[in-house]
Amino acid sequence: DTEVTQTPKHLVMGMTNKKSLKCEQHMGHRAMYWYKQKAKKPPELMFVYSYEKLSINESVPSRFSPECPNSSLLNLHLHALQPEDSALYLCASSQDKETTAWGNQPQHFGDGTRLSIL
Amino acid sequence: AQKVTQAQTEISVVEKEDVTLDCVYETRDTTYYLFWYKQPPSGELVFLIRRNSFDEQNEISGRYSWNFQKSTSSFNFTITASQVVDSAVYFCALSETNFGNEKLTFGTGTRLTIIP
């Protein structure tokens, strides 16, 4: 079992639907991430939150809307997605490097949500 | 710009054989961090190791070992006496300190299949 929990594990939605992906961690981490991973490709960074504030947006289309209600939760709101958005969406968390003794801390990933757009 | 190259797309070995996964990186930074992650079919990326650019000591953890050589910009991963449970996709990744929140650059991954 991972310490980063993602729900749902699978999601099928139409292009006009609105849905949300959820991610939760209870490791006291202050940085949280969304990645998109297509089949046989490495994960691609989408968003980074640090101390509940958006710090990195990798030019992601506005049909993806992240939200960080508190330091343990991270949501990804989906609206009007396209078939090419079908992928595995991974959430990760890590200690912000400013809070650690030194060094970039490893990211801990959830199992992901497999999203299919019809 | 930073880049990670994993030239081996797929590797298959018979169980109990040793296997080495190659990773070559490019960066202009003098301080950086290298990582290896394992991704089994379930999808989760499992953290295996972190190494900073100032620590060139090789590391061994059970059947896993890592060889970091700054002179060749390589961070190779060896599995000794491989087991079927080692079958997965393995990603090497690089992060530079100037990106703040550990922005990782992943290699394209190596799919390892252990044949029973």
Side-chain angles (χ1 to χ4, degrees):
Chain A
D1 288 343
T2 69
E3 295 181 86
V4 177
T5 304
Q6 290 187 241
T7 56
K9 293 195 180 301
H10 301 274
L11 179 61
V12 180
M13 56 186 287
M15 289 190 286
T16 59
N17 293 154
K18 288 184 179 180
K19 296 287 184 183
S20 297
L21 308 184
K22 298 185 183 301
C23 175
E24 187 171 4
Q25 60 89 11
H26 293 289
M27 295 179 283
H29 288 172
R30 291 294 178 258
M32 295 187 77
Y33 311 76
W34 279 116
Y35 287 86
K36 173 183 178 180
Q37 186 179 23
K38 302 285 281 184
K40 297 188 178 182
K41 297 290 186 182
E44 297 176 11
L45 183 65
M46 300 174 72
F47 303 104
V48 180
Y49 273 82
S50 179
Y51 291 90
E52 303 168 40
K53 293 184 178 179
L54 184 64
S55 59
I56 296 177
N57 178 341
E58 290 289 278
S59 302
V60 179
S62 59
R63 57 185 184 269
F64 295 92
S65 176
E67 177 195 21
C68 190
N70 60 58
S71 60
S72 299
L73 296 174
L74 185 65
N75 299 321
L76 186 62
H77 303 298
L78 314 173
H79 174 56
L81 295 194
Q82 303 298 308
E84 60 266 27
D85 297 323
S86 297
L88 177 67
Y89 288 83
L90 292 160
C91 174
S93 69
S94 71
Q95 283 283 19
D96 186 283
K97 73 181 182 72
E98 293 177 356
T99 67
T100 61
W102 66 288
N104 290 9
Q105 297 303 303
Q107 296 178 24
H108 297 266
F109 287 80
D111 290 339
T113 294
R114 292 193 183 276
L115 176 65
S116 296
I117 307 301
L118 301 179
Chain B
Q2 53 187 346
K3 183 180 178 181
V4 176
T5 301
Q6 294 180 255
Q8 305 151 307
T9 305
E10 296 189 20
I11 300 176
S12 295
V13 300
V14 176
E15 193 174 20
K16 296 184 182 179
E17 288 185 353
D18 299 347
V19 59
T20 296
L21 309 182
D22 298 332
C23 173
V24 175
Y25 62 91
E26 296 176 27
T27 177
R28 294 182 180 180
D29 210 344
T30 55
T31 303
Y32 52 88
Y33 297 83
L34 295 162
F35 302 82
W36 274 96
Y37 283 88
K38 173 183 179 181
Q39 187 173 38
S42 59
E44 172 200 1
L45 276 110
V46 178
F47 165 70
L48 297 178
I49 189 172
R50 178 191 74 154
R51 175 66 71 228
N52 75 70
S53 53
F54 298 109
D55 182 2
E56 290 192 68
Q57 286 189 345
N58 292 330
E59 181 158 340
I60 298 174
S61 176
R63 296 183 297 106
Y64 295 170
S65 63
W66 290 268
N67 182 4
F68 176 31
Q69 293 194 346
K70 287 182 73 172
S71 61
T72 56
S73 297
S74 65
F75 187 42
N76 297 336
F77 173 31
T78 298
I79 301 175
T80 303
S82 60
Q83 300 177 2
V84 173
V85 293
D86 296 326
S87 296
V89 179
Y90 290 85
F91 290 99
C92 181
L94 166 71
S95 73
E96 296 177 346
T97 56
N98 58 329
F99 281 100
N101 298 107
E102 293 108 50
K103 181 175 178 177
L104 286 172
T105 297
F106 285 91
T108 50
T110 298
R111 180 175 300 276
L112 176 64
T113 302
I114 308 301
I115 304 166

